[in-house]
Amino acid sequence: MYAHITGWGMAVPSRVLTNHDLAQMVETDNEWIVSRTGIQERHIANPEQTSASLAIEAALKALEVANLKPVDVDLIIVSTSTPEHVFPATACLVQDRLGAARAGAFDLSAACSGFIYALDIATQAIRTESVKNALVIGTETLSRFVDWEDRTTCILFGDGAGAFVLQAGEEPGGLISSVMRSDGSGGNLLILPAGGSHLPASPETVREGLHYIQMHGREVFRFATRVMAQATEEAVKKAHLSLEDISLIIPHQANQRIIETAARKLNFPMERVMVNVDRYGNTSTASIPIATCEAIQSGRLQAGDKTVFVGFGAGLTWGAAVVIWSGPFPVRRRVRPTRYRLLARLRSILLRLVRRIEGIIWGNG
Ligand code: COA
């Protein structure tokens, strides 16, 4: 049994915070932020938006693409570092508000690597036939945990969510290999110190700003560039493939320079690396599914393509996964997958042709 990715969706708040806006808030400027990170703007949640509400928005879109109803879902995994509460799990709020009455639900905490971890766990649940349909969601409202007076961190992060639907299918596809790693000795490099059982919230912790993200940027940078290439190579090897077989790498979107350094180490062309950190900043665990949605939208990821997801983050954690992209199951399940893949490719060629013709018409008009 395989776990095909048959639905996807993303949600970002409409409010955009540009580097120029940030320059009004802290001592920074657009040139510094762009040259060090590649980030130009990020989306920030409105007061009524939360990690759960963004997750639900993304999940509903993913279910629609997969042509499933919430009651068809057996398992919901919400990966997040910014849950609604310490408990209950944000996944349970999502389950309830979706009306996914038959689903088990839990949160997964592996920071920016969390979506890859969640994808792996949901895949194993499907492959062992424990569940048939799973929702994997990455969601963050990091803006609630950022010290907006700390220029070394507040420029980096953004809010958003992305969701995948995974469905059981007998033809090979979906996640075919993965690597999950951690090194807890680096836990203090990226941490939210207070609010847990180790240091419960108190007037002192609030006064000292210990409920905000703290980071040692340079060390995290060094760690990230070291592990991204390693994990990618390992996952590709585990899938018995080579990098030439990979049509697109979709990395965690933390920093343009980190992504470029990793691509250089892999000797992999940047044209085949998905980057959208410029418009969203670092949305932590949501960044890979958001980038995937945009890769599909722009025709860079199509049925049958082999792609690598690779990420790193607090913990320290990191990981990579090789995925054969599927697309929604055909409504008539009897259509053979090879035929379906051909049809999907034909459909996307036609769509691109229509877009090009539209472009010519609008361009001339
Ligand atoms: N605007 C202007 N100057 C800034 C600044 C800002 N927003 N933030 C820091 N600086 C200053 C520093 O104060 C320092 O000044 P000094 O030399 O006078 O002390 C100088 O710029 C260099 O700081 P440094 O921290 O060494 O910069 P850097 O080149 O390492 O870039 C990061 C900082 C955060 C962009 C970079 O380290 C990074 O991207 N790290 C990885 C972070 C990450 O991805 N975290 C998430 C992981 S999931």
Side-chain angles (χ1 to χ4, degrees), residues 26-29 32-33 36-37 112 151-153 155-157 190 215-222 224 252 254-255 257-258 282 284 312-314:
V26 288
E27 203 186 327
T28 190
D29 57 78
W32 193 96
I33 302 173
R36 304 285 171 125
T37 70
C112 305
R151 67 177 183 169
T152 67
T153 52
I155 56 151
L156 297 173
F157 299 103
L190 185 48
M215 184 181 70
H216 294 270
R218 278 193 189 179
E219 285 87 338
V220 173
F221 193 99
R222 265 198 295 274
H252 167 45
N255 181 314
R257 285 193 302 144
I258 292 176
N282 180 346
S284 186
F312 59 89

Side-chain angles (χ1 to χ4, degrees), residues 86-342:
V86 173
F87 67 86
T90 300
C92 294
L93 302 177
V94 171
Q95 175 275 328
D96 178 48
R97 289 191 217 154
L98 280 178
R102 293 177 45 247
F106 69 93
D107 284 2
L108 186 150
S109 170
C112 305
S113 319
F115 197 80
I116 291 169
Y117 275 50
L119 212 52
D120 183 284
I121 301 302
T123 297
Q124 302 321 320
I126 288 175
R127 294 193 71 160
T128 54
E129 301 189 26
S130 161
V131 304
K132 269 191 173 159
N133 303 321
L135 248 180
V136 175
I137 307 170
T139 187
E140 303 288 7
T141 40
L142 289 153
S143 61
R144 306 261 155 86
F145 299 91
V146 156
D147 179 352
W148 290 103
E149 292 180 3
D150 176 6
R151 67 177 183 169
T152 67
T153 52
C154 75
I155 56 151
L156 297 173
F157 299 103
D159 299 334
F164 284 178
V165 169
L166 271 62
Q167 283 187 267
E170 285 180 3
E171 293 294 324
L175 186 147
I176 54 167
S177 78
S178 81
V179 169
M180 292 189 281
R181 296 279 189 278
S182 65
D183 175 9
S185 71
N188 66 330
L189 296 182
L190 185 48
I191 187 169
L192 202 148
S197 58
H198 174 70
L199 192 58
S202 69
E204 288 73 38
T205 61
V206 173
R207 203 176 315 117
E208 288 167 35
L210 298 175
H211 52 294
Y212 291 134
I213 295 169
Q214 294 183 356
M215 184 181 70
H216 294 270
R218 278 193 189 179
E219 285 87 338
V220 173
F221 193 99
R222 265 198 295 274
F223 146 73
T225 49
R226 178 167 54 81
V227 298
M228 272 180 88
Q230 265 174 24
T232 302
E233 274 174 339
E234 227 177 294
V236 168
K237 196 169 162 206
K238 237 174 148 179
H240 306 291
L241 296 172
S242 76
L243 279 170
E244 282 87 70
D245 301 312
I246 305 301
S247 48
L248 189 69
I249 293 182
I250 304 182
H252 167 45
Q253 307 286 313
N255 181 314
Q256 172 101 23
R257 285 193 302 144
I258 292 176
I259 294 171
E260 283 173 356
T261 309
R264 217 169 24 248
K265 280 191 179 175
L266 288 167
N267 206 11
F268 196 84
M270 275 305 287
E271 300 82 68
R272 278 159 51 206
V273 180
M274 183 65 201
V275 181
N276 65 0
V277 68
D278 50 327
R279 286 172 294 117
Y280 298 107
N282 180 346
T283 57
S284 186
T285 189
S287 85
I288 288 177
I290 288 175
T292 305
C293 288
E294 293 211 328
I296 294 164
Q297 228 166 29
S298 59
R300 294 183 70 186
L301 183 61
Q302 296 171 9
D305 285 352
K306 296 182 185 77
T307 184
V308 171
F309 299 137
V310 56
F312 59 89
L316 300 168
T317 56
W318 64 100
V322 176
V323 167
I324 301 177
W325 195 252
S326 306
F329 279 151
V331 179
R332 282 186 298 121
R333 301 262 170 109
R334 263 175 289 135
V335 177
R336 281 202 304 277
T338 43
R339 210 148 113 207
Y340 167 62
R341 274 202 289 274
L342 270 174

